[in-house]
Amino acid sequence: MKILVCLCPVPDTTTKIAFGDNNTTFNSQGVTFIINPYDEWYSLVRALELKEAGTATAVHLITVGKADAEPVIRKALALGGDEAIRIDTDSNDPYVIAAQIAQYASAQNYDLVLCGKESIDYNNGTVGGMLAELLDMNYLGFVSDVKVDGNSVTVLREIDGGDETDSCVLPLVISCQKGVAEARIPNMRGIMAARTKPLTVVAPAAISSLSSIVAYEMPAAKTGVKMIAADNMDELVSLLHNEAKVI
Amino acid sequence: MSVIVLTEHAQGSFKKKSLEAVQYGAKIAAMMGTSVTAVAAGNVSNDELQTLGAYGAQKVLHVADARLDNFSSRAFTKVVLAAAAQEGAKVIVCLHDTTGKAVAPRVAARLQAGMVAGAVGLPDLSSGFTVKKNVFSGKAFAFVNITSDVKVITLMPNTSAVVKGEGTASVAALSVSFDDKDFAVQVQQVSKATGSVPLSEAELVVSGGRGLKGPENWHILEDLATSLGAATACSRPVADSHWRPHHEHVGQTGGTIRPNLYIAAGISGAIQHLAGVNGSKTIVVINKDPEAPFFKAADYGVLGDVFEVLPRLTEAVKKFKANN
Ligand SMILES: Cc1cc2nc3c(=O)[nH]c(=O)nc-3n(C[C@H](O)[C@H](O)[C@H](O)COP(=O)(O)OP(=O)(O)OC[C@H]3O[C@@H](n4cnc5c(N)ncnc54)[C@H](O)[C@@H]3O)c2cc1C
Ligand SMILES: Nc1ncnc2c1ncn2[C@@H]1O[C@H](COP(=O)(O)O)[C@@H](O)[C@H]1O
C-alpha cells in the first residue's frame, strides 16, 4: 500500500496576525511557519505507523508551496517518510492546491491519501474533498481513528453531535483530526536521515485560480468587559435578557 | 440560472441550520434576480419538504432513494450535480458542517467552480462575487472573490437568525443514476448524543474548563445548561483527560461555534480556545483569576469560584424563567 500525506505549511498557532498593503496581504514578516498540526500530528504519524506495521510499503509527503516551505518539509522527513515532493507554486485557492496535488498523484497510484481536517490558516477543510473528486476516490472526512485490514479501511468519523464507524475499500482520501495518532518529536537519527532523503521539486501544472482573497479584516474589538458581582446573578440574567437580548 | 441549497435532515425533519441555509440561498437569489431551489436526499415526507417554502424555497427537488439515508460523499455529490444541471445553478450552497464539507469540495472540483468554505455573511455583488469568511482560526476575516461562472459556498451555521415566512414550495422528484461505487462506504455503527441540541447549531452554550476540577463536578454545569436549554462544550484539556466526550471540545483543534451566548466557566481563554468561540455574539466568563485572559474577550465577567457562581446563576435563570 502506497500512502501520500499532504502537508500544508501554516503560521505557528501563537502568531499575532497582521496585514499589509492596506489590509490586502498577510504580513508574514517574522512569522514562524510550522506544518499544519492536523497533518503533522495525525495524518503523518498514522502513515508512519502503518509503514512500521508493514501495512504500508511507501509513505510520500507532498506540499504545494515555494522554496521557503522546505524547512518544514525537512522536519516532516525527520519524523519519517521515504521522500517528499514540493510543487513549486503558492496559492490561497483550494482548487489550485487540490488540482496540483491531483495532477501529480494521478500518475502514482496511491492507495491512501491523507490530509488534515483543515488548515489552521485559511480554515477551509476543502482540499481533501476536492482531491477525492479529482482522483475519483471515496472520501471520509473528520476522522479520528484509521484501521487498515488488507484492502479495507475502517474509520471513526465525526458526524453532527456524535460519531460513526464506516468502512470502505481502498483507494481512499481521508482527512484526519485528533485521535488518529499521537504526535511525535523528531529524534537525532531522523534529523540526520532527513538531510539525504529525496525532496523533489516539481514544476506546477498550468491551473488557473477560481478565487482570490481581496481583503482582510480584524474582528471588532470587544468594547470592554462589564463585571458583575459574584453574588448578584440576578443582575447577570437581567443583562443577558434586557441588554444582550440573548435569553 | 438559479441558486441551489443542499439541505440536511435528521430522521425526516429538517435541521435548523438547513432552514438557515435555504433562507441564505433565497437572499442570494433575490440579490441576483433569480430563484432558489432546495435539494433533499433520502426519506423525508412531502409535508416536511413543503415547509422549506416558508424559508424562501420556491422549489424542492427530492431524491427519495433510501440508500441516501446513510451519508456518502460520492452519492450526495451526484445529487447536487444533477440538481445543479437541471436548474442551471450559478450558486450552490451547502452547510459548513461534516456533510457540507464532504460534498461541496467535490461539487466544486467537478464543476471547476470557485469555493468559499465557511461563509459568515451574504456575498457582496458590487464588484464581482465576494464572500466573507473566518481565517486564522477566528483571529481575522478574509473577503474572497470567486471568479468562476459557478460559485460554491459552505455557510457557517448560526450566521443569521432564522425567520419563518409564509411561502410554500413545490416539490418535484429528481432522479439520479447511481452506481455501486457511490455506496462503497458502509456504515457499521452510529453513536450520537441523544436529545441534546448539536453543539454547532446551539444558540446557547455553557462550557467548562479545567477550573471545574473533574468530571464528577460537571453536574453543576449541566444544571445551568438544562435551565437555559443550552448545549454543553469544553476546553481541550477537558476532552483530552476524558472528562467530556471529544465532540464537545471547541477551539482551534476542536469545533468552531457561533452561538448567541457562550458562558465559559473555569476556562483561562488561551488563544487556541478563543479561536473556536470568538464568533459568539455574547460571551460570559466566570473565573476566579482576575488576570485570566478570557476576560479581555468577554462581554460580561464574573470574578468568582465556579462552584459558588454556577449554582447561583442556575437559580437566577430558573427564577427568571418562572417569571417570564
Ligand atoms: C496547537 C494547539 C492547539 C490547541 N487547541 C485548543 C483547542 O482547540 N481548544 C482549547 O480549549 N485549547 C486548545 N489548546 C490548549 C490551550 O492552549 C489551553 O491550554 C487550554 O485551552 C486551557 O484549558 P483550560 O482553560 O480549561 O485550562 P487552564 O488553562 O488550566 O485554565 C483553567 C482556568 O480555570 C480557572 N479556575 C480554576 N479553578 C477555578 C474555580 N474554582 N473557579 C473559577 N475559575 C477557576 C483558572 O483561573 C484558569 O483560568 C491548544 C494548544 C495548542 C498548542
Ligand atoms: N499547500 C498545501 N500543500 C499540501 N497540502 C495541503 C496544502 N493546503 C492544504 N493541504 C492539505 O489539505 C488539508 C486541508 O486544508 P484546507 O482545505 O486548506 O483547509 C490540510 O490539512 C493539508 O493536508
Side-chain angles (χ1 to χ4, degrees):
Chain A
M1 183 176 78
K2 269 176 82 177
I3 305 181
L4 181 67
V5 181
C6 300
L7 303 177
C8 178
V10 295
D12 179 26
T13 60
T14 54
T15 304
K16 218 170 149 45
I17 301 299
F19 304 111
D21 301 328
N22 202 14
N23 285 334
T24 57
T25 53
F26 170 61
N27 183 351
S28 61
Q29 225 172 35
V31 173
T32 311
F33 279 80
I34 59 169
I35 306 164
N36 192 35
Y38 298 105
D39 307 348
E40 180 188 325
W41 300 350
Y42 310 129
S43 47
L44 173 58
V45 177
R46 188 67 189 119
L48 299 176
E49 289 172 353
L50 289 169
K51 174 124 195 247
E52 287 153 9
T55 312
T57 50
V59 175
H60 292 181
L61 319 180
I62 194 161
T63 297
V64 179
K66 302 296 263 184
D68 55 5
E70 293 204 354
V72 294
I73 302 175
R74 288 278 173 212
K75 183 185 173 200
L77 282 171
L79 284 162
D82 306 310
E83 57 179 89
I85 299 101
R86 180 172 67 81
I87 304 180
D88 189 25
T89 185
D90 222 357
S91 180
N92 284 328
D93 182 34
Y95 177 77
V96 171
I97 296 167
Q100 294 290 0
I101 298 174
Q103 180 86 18
Y104 178 83
S106 58
Q108 301 282 328
N109 296 319
Y110 293 108
D111 303 285
L112 185 61
V113 178
L114 298 179
C115 283
K117 86 159 183 177
E118 68 176 41
S119 55
I120 63 165
D121 50 1
Y122 293 102
N123 307 120
N124 290 319
T126 299
V127 168
M130 285 186 170
L131 261 178
E133 187 66 21
L134 296 170
L135 294 172
D136 192 25
M137 290 185 188
N138 270 297
Y139 175 62
L140 293 168
F142 320 101
V143 158
S144 57
D145 186 51
V146 180
K147 289 193 179 70
V148 182
D149 183 7
N151 196 32
S152 166
V153 176
T154 303
V155 303
L156 187 65
R157 186 172 73 80
E158 183 186 320
I159 55 171
D160 258 0
D163 42 50
E164 184 175 288
T165 307
D166 293 339
S167 62
C168 188
V169 291
L170 296 168
L172 200 56
V173 178
I174 291 177
S175 81
C176 298
Q177 61 181 19
K178 196 174 151 245
V180 161
E182 290 290 336
R184 293 182 179 178
I185 299 167
N187 58 27
M188 213 44 197
R189 229 180 88 221
I191 294 166
M192 298 305 288
R195 291 190 185 158
T196 53
K197 284 182 184 171
L199 195 170
T200 313
V201 181
V202 177
I207 295 161
S208 346
S209 268
L210 305 172
S211 72
S212 64
I213 295 178
V214 290
Y216 293 96
E217 185 183 277
M218 295 306 265
K222 290 272 176 192
T223 46
V225 53
K226 194 178 261 187
M227 296 303 292
I228 291 110
D231 56 6
N232 196 357
M233 287 301 100
D234 289 333
E235 165 79 4
L236 177 59
V237 169
S238 147
L239 286 168
L240 292 176
H241 180 64
N242 296 314
E243 189 177 81
K245 300 193 179 6
V246 288
I247 61 172
Chain B
M1 185 170 112
S2 80
V3 174
I4 68 167
V5 179
L6 176 65
T7 61
E8 296 171 31
H9 59 90
Q11 277 83 47
S13 40
F14 285 112
K15 298 180 179 177
K16 190 193 97 191
K17 57 186 172 181
S18 281
L19 306 178
E20 185 187 348
V22 170
Q23 176 181 287
Y24 178 82
K27 285 185 187 156
I28 298 178
M31 290 161 76
M32 297 175 59
T34 178
S35 64
V36 61
T37 299
V39 184
N43 207 341
V44 194
S45 73
N46 226 50
D47 286 352
E48 181 71 8
L49 291 166
Q50 279 171 354
T51 61
L52 294 177
Y55 304 93
Q58 276 93 347
K59 196 198 280 184
V60 181
L61 293 176
H62 182 212
V63 189
D65 198 314
R67 290 175 294 183
L68 296 167
D69 287 329
N70 278 335
F71 177 68
S72 147
S73 69
R74 285 180 85 101
F76 274 61
T77 298
K78 277 199 176 166
V79 167
V80 175
L81 290 173
Q86 179 175 316
E87 300 295 299
K90 288 287 181 237
V91 179
I92 298 169
V93 178
C94 297
L95 279 156
H96 197 61
D97 66 2
T98 52
T99 297
K101 284 191 270 187
V103 176
R106 297 198 81 124
V107 170
R110 176 62 44 200
L111 297 175
Q112 292 200 16
M115 173 168 166
V116 173
V120 294
L122 286 164
D124 175 357
L125 306 185
S126 61
S127 60
F129 190 102
T130 304
V131 189
K132 184 175 181 178
K133 72 175 299 270
N134 286 324
V135 288
F136 300 106
S137 304
K139 288 183 218 167
F141 298 105
F143 294 85
V144 184
N145 185 35
I146 306 181
T147 47
S148 54
D149 180 37
V150 177
K151 284 101 177 158
V152 175
I153 299 174
T154 57
L155 173 68
M156 191 75 99
N158 278 347
T159 293
S160 66
V162 181
V163 183
K164 192 171 180 185
E166 292 296 318
T168 51
S170 67
V171 176
L174 176 69
S175 77
V176 179
S177 56
F178 296 110
D179 56 50
D180 289 348
K181 217 175 159 189
D182 298 326
F183 297 101
V185 175
Q186 297 209 313
V187 179
Q188 312 281 358
Q189 198 189 333
V190 179
S191 75
K192 260 189 182 180
T194 46
S196 58
V197 201
L199 191 52
S200 66
E201 285 181 63
E203 287 179 2
L204 308 176
V205 175
V206 179
S207 185
R210 269 212 302 232
L212 264 86
K213 305 283 188 279
E216 66 282 4
N217 300 324
W218 235 260
H219 63 97
I220 61 169
L221 199 95
E222 280 169 343
D223 287 347
L224 176 60
T226 309
S227 72
L228 283 166
T232 51
C234 67
S235 68
R236 186 170 103 176
V238 165
D240 282 351
S241 318
H242 305 290
W243 297 358
R244 298 299 292 172
H246 171 60
H247 67 256
E248 282 199 3
H249 148 212
V250 291
Q252 183 153 11
T253 46
T256 303
I257 55 172
R258 302 168 58 85
N260 286 336
L261 175 63
Y262 183 73
I263 301 183
I267 303 177
S268 57
I271 190 158
Q272 296 94 350
H273 183 84
L274 294 180
V277 302
N278 58 7
S280 309
K281 192 166 159 238
T282 299
I283 295 179
V284 175
V285 168
I286 305 168
N287 201 302
K288 67 174 184 189
D289 173 8
E291 301 297 324
F294 221 147
F295 283 123
K296 289 203 183 69
D299 298 284
Y300 301 103
V302 181
L303 183 62
D305 187 329
V306 286
F307 296 100
E308 289 162 19
V309 174
L310 281 177
R312 268 188 222 139
L313 180 54
T314 305
E315 281 319 304
V317 169
K318 283 186 182 155
K319 203 163 85 191
F320 167 79
K321 294 263 166 167
N323 298 331
N324 281 271

